Amino acid sequence: MPHALVVDDDANFLLPLAELVEREGFSTSVASSLKDARALIHSKPPDLVLTDLFLPDGKGIDLLEDLDSATPTQVVLVTGHATVDTAVEALRKGATDYLVKPLDIPRLKTVLANVARAHALREEVGTLRAELRKLGRFGSLVGASPAMQKVYDLISRVAPTEATVLVTGESGTGKELVAESVHALSRRRTAPFLPVNCGAISANLIESELFGHERGSFTGADRTHRGYFERAAGGTLFLDEITEMPFELQVKLLRVLETAAVIRIGGERPLPVDVRVIAATNRQPEEMVAQGRLREDLLYRLKVFPVHLPPLRERGDDVELLAEHFLGLLNAAEGTTKKFTRAVLQRLRAHSWPGNVREMKNFVHQIFILADDDIGIECLPPDLGGEGPQTGPSLHIKVGISLEETERRLILATLNECAGDKRKAAEVLGVSLKTLYNRLKAYGQ
């Protein structure tokens, strides 16, 4: 049941209004001052606040400052002293609606019905999300193991806040998917989500890419360039492999995080930026601090809320869940209905997966291609107890033989496999026909 807080210093108006709200399916609490209303808001956050504009100790509009921004509370102002200025001020500060005394009851009932529908929808979404979690789905993440349920709990708690997040875990565990899920569940979900791999950008370019540069600030800077912080305005910036960022640049990043402003290369004035930062690393950040590769003060600033992703080998039945998930995506893309045999799923479960989820995704794609229908043991490589792909005749080379002799044997074996067709053999070997003729001439063929 949705909950409403009704605030008015006129008891003759307050109590009948609260009764009307209750008849429309709300639980209610009442207050006659800002002080009492604030206490009730903190004890039980309401879905709706119906408040008089003028109260003995202040304005009802001031209650907007007491509402948790993560809670979708709607505020409707009620007043007998309506002016254009007060209406504009109320809507500008975030009020949902503005009603004038004496109340238009049909209009009030419409407002109440909209709030009730929104509350019911949130409850339904919450229930569906809980069911999906049980089935192993949470945003872009897949997994139902206790280890992943803990990760989901952490994401749910931190996503509605503005806290910076540091995601740790081995390569291939899905750190970027965690960042995407945090963004998707945050108030910034409609703004950009920009991922940046700090290890993939050269040291000469990363400062410009992050913070931007002014035209003419260095050779080749023929135009003003907006960096990732500016382009992610209002959204989330994901800094992957943060320990790979040049040490001297880390102090500039720290300054941006502390001041919420960037100064482009060649610029003089700071530019305000409204960006949430999520960082990630596959290394132990404390070890990187000890090695002098990560500033300790930057680590503390990023690690406001840490999230650690478990490796796949510690996730139990998630191995089968992920394998079926990736196979389902491939079947949908290719219009097929391939299935794993039970024996294959058991082999996948027993494997250690040093490359984690990324390795598994690529592996499932590989055996999907090899299988005609059901994916059986014959599609698995020897290290998973399979026979490996049958690719035709093979050439066995003894260790210690020279490269020249190895090349000779490979060329002659390939020519024999191509039934003497030199043009086809050259294509298979990836050399020109002239090169093949020269080699055969040297071999006396």
Side-chain angles (χ1 to χ4, degrees):
M1 177 182 292
H3 180 64
L5 171 61
V6 185
V7 188
D8 200 293
D9 59 337
D10 181 355
N12 293 327
F13 179 82
L14 174 65
L15 297 179
L17 177 58
E19 290 178 5
L20 186 155
V21 173
E22 285 185 355
R23 289 197 299 270
E24 295 301 312
F26 287 74
S27 64
T28 62
S29 54
V30 296
S32 57
S33 66
L34 279 180
K35 180 181 177 181
D36 293 343
R38 284 168 172 153
L40 290 170
I41 285 173
H42 291 299
S43 64
K44 185 177 181 179
D47 297 282
L48 171 67
V49 175
L50 274 168
T51 178
D52 193 5
L53 179 58
F54 297 106
L55 297 167
D57 52 349
K59 289 185 176 181
I61 191 68
D62 294 337
L63 291 174
L64 283 164
E65 300 173 1
D66 295 271
L67 298 173
D68 184 352
S69 55
T71 304
T73 301
Q74 297 190 37
V75 177
V76 176
L77 287 175
V78 181
T79 182
H81 308 282
T83 66
V84 173
D85 290 341
T86 56
V88 170
E89 179 189 11
L91 297 175
R92 181 175 58 81
K93 288 189 175 182
T96 306
D97 211 334
Y98 188 92
L99 302 178
V100 179
K101 297 178 182 178
L103 291 180
D104 181 339
I105 300 302
R107 183 179 173 190
L108 174 60
K109 288 184 176 182
T110 299
V111 170
L112 295 174
N114 289 338
V115 173
R117 277 196 295 269
H119 174 80
L121 180 60
R122 285 195 302 274
E123 285 196 332
E124 182 179 353
V125 169
T127 301
L128 290 173
R129 187 173 290 162
E131 291 299 318
L132 285 173
R133 280 186 60 164
K134 292 178 183 177
L135 296 172
R137 300 290 191 276
F138 187 87
S140 302
L141 296 160
V142 175
S145 64
M148 288 305 293
Q149 294 293 337
K150 290 180 181 178
V151 172
Y152 301 158
D153 288 338
L154 292 174
I155 293 173
S156 297
R157 286 185 175 276
V158 76
T161 74
E162 289 295 296
T164 54
V165 180
L166 180 63
V167 188
T168 57
E170 297 177 6
S171 291
T173 49
K175 295 185 288 295
E176 184 169 341
L177 294 181
V178 170
E180 289 178 357
S181 298
V182 171
H183 174 75
L185 294 173
S186 74
R187 298 190 297 275
R188 298 174 177 269
R189 66 179 70 89
T190 58
F193 172 82
L194 293 183
V196 182
N197 189 323
C198 298
I201 305 175
S202 70
N204 296 330
L205 294 176
I206 189 167
E207 182 177 2
S208 172
E209 288 301 309
L210 283 176
F211 309 131
H213 63 251
E214 298 288 356
R215 179 181 179 182
S217 56
F218 54 84
T219 303
D222 55 355
R223 61 182 178 84
T224 298
H225 174 66
R226 296 168 66 243
Y228 281 108
F229 271 93
E230 289 183 73
R231 282 181 273 165
T236 304
L237 184 62
F238 175 54
L239 300 178
D240 198 9
E241 303 305 340
I242 188 65
T243 56
E244 303 304 312
M245 178 179 287
F247 194 81
E248 61 275 10
L249 190 59
Q250 293 178 22
V251 67
K252 296 183 179 180
L253 172 60
L254 180 62
R255 188 183 306 118
V256 171
L257 295 176
E258 295 290 352
T259 63
V262 298
I263 299 178
R264 296 175 185 156
I265 298 175
E268 297 180 355
R269 61 185 181 88
L271 303 172
V273 288
D274 173 25
V275 175
R276 182 185 195 170
V277 170
I278 301 176
T281 178
N282 60 3
R283 303 178 184 275
Q284 290 292 337
E286 290 76 14
E287 291 182 8
M288 296 296 100
V289 170
Q291 295 176 20
R293 296 181 57 183
L294 179 65
R295 291 181 61 95
E296 188 173 27
D297 49 3
L298 178 59
L299 173 60
Y300 292 148
R301 185 62 182 78
L302 293 172
K303 200 177 178 180
V304 173
F305 195 91
V307 177
H308 179 71
L309 266 180
L312 187 52
R313 60 184 174 274
E314 296 178 3
R315 293 175 53 181
D317 293 337
D318 284 355
V319 170
E320 294 185 21
L321 193 64
L322 284 161
E324 295 285 9
H325 170 70
F326 293 134
L327 179 61
L329 294 178
L330 291 167
N331 276 328
E334 301 295 334
T336 55
T337 57
K338 296 181 182 181
K339 302 185 296 294
F340 291 115
T341 63
R342 191 63 216 166
V344 166
L345 288 174
Q346 291 173 348
R347 300 292 173 85
L348 297 182
R349 172 73 181 270
H351 189 58
S352 64
W353 300 107
N356 291 295
V357 180
R358 184 185 296 119
E359 178 191 3
M360 165 170 278
K361 181 180 181 181
N362 294 332
F363 178 78
V364 170
H365 199 168
Q366 173 191 332
I367 59 178
F368 173 86
I369 294 171
L370 293 172
D372 294 322
D373 191 6
D374 287 353
I375 301 175
I377 294 293
E378 69 280 358
C379 298
L380 300 181
D383 63 329
L384 265 77
E387 302 171 8
Q390 303 302 309
T391 56
S394 60
L395 180 65
H396 298 279
I397 302 294
K398 187 176 180 180
V399 175
I401 195 171
S402 68
L403 289 174
E404 183 178 358
E405 178 60 14
T406 300
E407 182 185 79
R408 187 186 74 82
R409 293 189 184 185
L410 179 61
I411 288 176
L412 294 179
T414 303
L415 184 63
N416 183 63
E417 181 65 15
C418 294
D421 186 334
K422 296 181 179 62
R423 186 176 297 279
K424 183 177 180 181
E427 291 177 358
V428 172
L429 291 165
V431 299
S432 67
L433 186 59
K434 180 179 180 182
T435 297
L436 179 60
Y437 271 111
N438 289 338
R439 293 290 193 276
L440 295 175
K441 183 177 179 181
Y443 304 152
Q445 298 293 317

